[in-house]
Amino acid sequence: SKFHEITGGDVYETAATHNHQFVDKVRAGFVANAVTKDGDIMGIEPDPTGPYADQFVLGVQFHPELSQGDIGEKLISSVVA
């Protein structure tokens, strides 16, 4: 996935989550790209075979700027030139 391409792997151990609401169902044309061990969806992006596949869209349900390691820097750098 684009998310794993940018971050280099999973985030469930380093992601800073302070949420009490989560995505329950992913909209058609998108896929979950980051899921916690408990099954909470932490990120979505376009399905590579769907109608939005040619667009750069990356949604996260955590605070990359507060997360451990360099995940925040990697995500922010991918959208800020």
Side-chain angles (χ1 to χ4, degrees):
S1 75
K2 179 59 79 176
F3 179 82
H4 289 97
E5 208 175 285
I6 294 167
T7 64
D10 296 320
V11 299
Y12 56 78
E13 291 181 4
T14 60
T17 60
H18 308 289
N19 304 314
H20 63 276
Q21 296 177 326
F22 295 92
V23 172
D24 182 37
K25 296 178 185 173
V26 179
R27 181 187 192 279
F30 288 82
V31 295
N33 57 17
V35 180
T36 67
K37 291 179 182 179
D38 296 331
D40 297 323
I41 297 170
M42 301 304 286
I44 62 170
E45 67 185 61
D47 181 329
T49 62
Y52 308 105
D54 62 340
Q55 299 179 33
F56 180 82
V57 178
L58 192 62
V60 295
Q61 182 72 28
F62 64 95
H63 297 273
E65 74 282 5
L66 301 176
S67 297
Q68 298 175 12
D70 60 355
I71 189 168
E73 185 178 324
K74 288 178 178 180
L75 285 170
I76 292 167
S77 295
S78 73
V79 295
V80 177

